[in-house]
Amino acid sequence: MALLVQKFGGTSVGSLDRIHRVAERVEETVRAGHQVLVVLSAMSGETDRLMRLAHEVTTRPDDRELDVLLSSGERVTIALLAMELRGRGVNARSFTGRQVGIVTNSSHTRARIEKIMASPVQQALAEGVVPVVAGFQGVNERSEVTTLGRGGSDLTAVALAASLKADRCVIFTDVDGVYTADPNIVPDARRIHKLSYEEMLELASLGAKVLQARSVEFAAKYGVPVEVKSSFQEGEGTLVTHEDADMERAVVSGVTGDRNQAKVTVIGVPDRPGIAADLFTAVAGASISVDMIIQNVSQGSLADISFTMPRSDIARALPLMEKAKDELGAQTIEVKDEIAKVSIVGVGMRSHSGVASRMFQTLSREGINIMMISTSEIKISCVLHEKDLNSAIRALHQEFGLGQPVDA
Ligand code: ASP
Ligand code: MG
């Protein structure tokens, strides 16, 4: 008998028909003798719909009230699934975030989990009950409802799996795993059987949308094995776990692209100590995360500083940067948003050399201009023109042999 956390995403509970399928799956697992805890998302599109409603009411909805509203989507699905399971003779019970004891800080709409007092679900499990838990929500210490950021029900599932020491956390979604590249762009992309936490974290942060990045961080920290699987078809998925020797055999595990990027250049910045600190403190103060940074001396004692940030944050960042520019005595700010970032990720890079030069040669063969480069131990990213992104992904996927089975 294993203790399994099964999480079903929005498309998996998007209609009553689909909730019915989920009930069948949960029942099967229970009848096979396992203990199951279910975590659900809201029906697909529901959180977006609620968000639109809020913005129709007022241009800047209050964050506390937004959390009360957004958390309602998950209450609908847990109640419906628990009813259906009970109708089938499976002893199930729904739990809201508060009832499970998920305690977060007070950063409404992007709260962080502080502790989990899982005793109510532990007790339910011990009584043979199947807890059906609302993902994405918790309460702060004043019992006010909070939400964990978009995609946060993955985090609920992983955090509960960690706190209950579950044998596995299975994330059922609309794709059957994590792919070597987006199959819509690369037709011969393959499903990856096994991936390290570190690689998954890079892929998730770089734009692969299968798992919420924070849930991967949490899984890595507590060593929770996470499996990503299709809820529509049978068969294996992708297992995300500790790095092993198998994973190192491939130089690169995946190629990914991110279009939500913009490049900002501050031109004519006086080249003296403290300038970068001042400039980036201004942006960080608004919780905007800057990614790649390049500084080059232009003329005499003036420098240009370029960096990338999420395109969706530009409107918020620009006034802050204009202000910093004036204070620093810089000349102009240039924003270029027709850019994208292509990245290759793989723990194999640690033991194979020459990966970066292969990447650059491949892009050069395709006639693609590289604007910025950044690297980490297991990742290389290049910023390029957005129009070149798909051909860059295809060329790199082929160059690193990702379309072929690994052991061929
Ligand atoms: N319903 C929330 C969202 O759409 C949480 C989730 O589905 O993970 O972001
Ligand atoms: Mg999701």
Side-chain angles (χ1 to χ4, degrees):
M1 181 180 80
L3 170 57
L4 301 171
V5 171
Q6 297 189 326
K7 183 254 166 180
F8 296 87
T11 41
S12 312
V13 292
S15 65
L16 291 183
D17 252 10
R18 290 189 170 171
I19 289 179
H20 184 74
R21 268 297 296 140
V22 169
E24 277 174 0
R25 223 180 240 288
V26 172
E27 183 179 359
E28 253 167 51
T29 318
V30 172
R31 304 265 181 244
H34 299 299
Q35 275 186 311
V36 187
L37 178 142
V38 182
V39 175
L40 298 184
S41 283
M43 288 181 161
S44 54
E46 178 63 7
T47 310
D48 290 332
R49 188 185 73 87
L50 294 169
M51 190 72 102
R52 279 196 304 274
L53 279 182
H55 283 92
E56 276 170 36
V57 170
T58 171
T59 42
R60 271 194 59 86
D62 179 78
D63 282 346
R64 179 191 180 279
E65 302 311 327
L66 209 47
D67 276 350
V68 173
L69 180 71
L70 295 185
S71 64
S72 68
E74 274 74 9
R75 295 179 78 117
V76 172
T77 50
I78 56 169
L80 290 173
L81 181 68
M83 279 174 203
E84 158 124 32
L85 284 168
R86 295 181 72 84
R88 290 165 171 267
V90 177
N91 194 2
R93 192 186 305 155
S94 65
F95 288 83
T96 64
R98 178 205 304 260
Q99 289 170 326
V100 192
I102 296 182
V103 180
T104 71
N105 65 11
S106 295
S107 301
H108 285 288
T109 74
R110 49 177 182 282
R112 300 191 77 92
I113 296 181
E114 280 179 347
K115 58 177 182 252
I116 297 187
M117 305 184 292
S119 49
V121 280
Q122 247 157 355
Q123 196 177 333
L125 284 165
E127 290 164 9
V129 171
V130 175
V132 181
V133 177
F136 179 53
Q137 53 180 270
V139 285
N140 67 11
E141 79 275 2
R142 291 189 307 281
S143 282
E144 290 176 318
V145 180
T146 53
T147 62
L148 307 176
R150 297 308 303 269
S153 47
D154 292 341
L155 181 59
T156 306
V158 170
L160 280 170
S163 115
L164 298 168
K165 301 196 170 49
D167 295 289
R168 190 169 282 198
C169 178
V170 189
I171 307 277
F172 288 96
T173 178
D174 49 358
V175 291
D176 65 347
V178 182
Y179 274 69
T180 50
D182 180 346
N184 295 315
I185 299 171
V186 186
D188 69 339
R190 281 181 310 106
R191 182 168 46 79
I192 304 170
H193 297 280
K194 207 159 54 164
L195 204 55
S196 69
Y197 293 119
E198 259 186 296
E199 288 168 310
M200 188 65 234
L201 190 56
E202 291 283 10
L203 291 171
S205 321
L206 291 168
K209 292 187 191 65
V210 201
L211 277 180
Q212 188 215 30
R214 272 172 57 199
S215 72
V216 185
E217 250 169 41
F218 209 98
K221 188 164 166 198
Y222 295 97
V224 180
V226 176
E227 191 182 1
V228 179
K229 260 181 136 157
S230 163
S231 63
F232 304 115
Q233 69 199 55
E234 294 303 321
E236 258 188 69
T238 297
L239 180 65
V240 185
T241 178
H242 292 291
E243 184 175 333
D244 65 22
D246 272 8
M247 298 176 186
E248 279 166 33
R249 261 192 302 148
V251 184
V252 170
S253 305
V255 184
T256 177
D258 183 0
R259 286 175 201 275
N260 180 28
Q261 292 284 313
K263 176 169 162 254
V264 179
T265 306
V266 187
I267 299 168
V269 188
D271 197 5
R272 58 176 160 76
I275 287 287
D278 290 348
L279 184 62
F280 292 108
T281 307
V283 185
S287 298
I288 293 168
S289 50
V290 163
D291 184 19
M292 298 182 192
I293 303 175
I294 291 181
Q295 171 175 343
N296 49 276
V297 173
S298 49
Q299 335 117 10
S301 59
L302 294 183
D304 296 342
I305 299 181
S306 296
F307 51 93
T308 58
M309 63 161 64
R311 209 180 280 178
S312 45
D313 284 340
I314 284 288
R316 221 150 46 91
L318 216 48
L320 300 171
M321 290 184 305
E322 286 290 348
K323 190 159 162 269
K325 180 204 79 178
D326 293 342
E327 285 165 9
L328 300 173
Q331 292 165 349
T332 45
I333 293 184
E334 205 180 80
V335 177
K336 198 171 160 59
D337 59 7
E338 284 171 345
I339 62 152
K341 184 164 71 180
V342 67
S343 308
I344 56 176
V345 172
V347 288
M349 278 184 213
R350 289 204 192 104
S351 43
H352 294 83
S353 58
V355 183
S357 71
R358 262 172 89 185
M359 179 175 194
F360 305 150
Q361 274 165 18
T362 306
L363 295 177
S364 131
R365 257 200 322 273
E366 296 291 309
I368 296 173
N369 184 41
I370 302 172
M371 298 182 215
M372 294 170 109
I373 298 165
S374 81
T375 64
S376 79
E377 220 189 346
I378 64 158
K379 174 201 81 176
I380 307 170
S381 300
C382 295
V383 170
L384 25 90
H385 196 287
E386 191 178 4
K387 70 169 170 32
D388 293 328
L389 180 62
N390 288 0
S391 41
I393 294 175
R394 281 185 215 111
L396 291 166
H397 195 264
Q398 173 155 23
E399 170 65 25
F400 290 99
L402 295 177
Q404 275 102 55
V406 253
D407 29 20

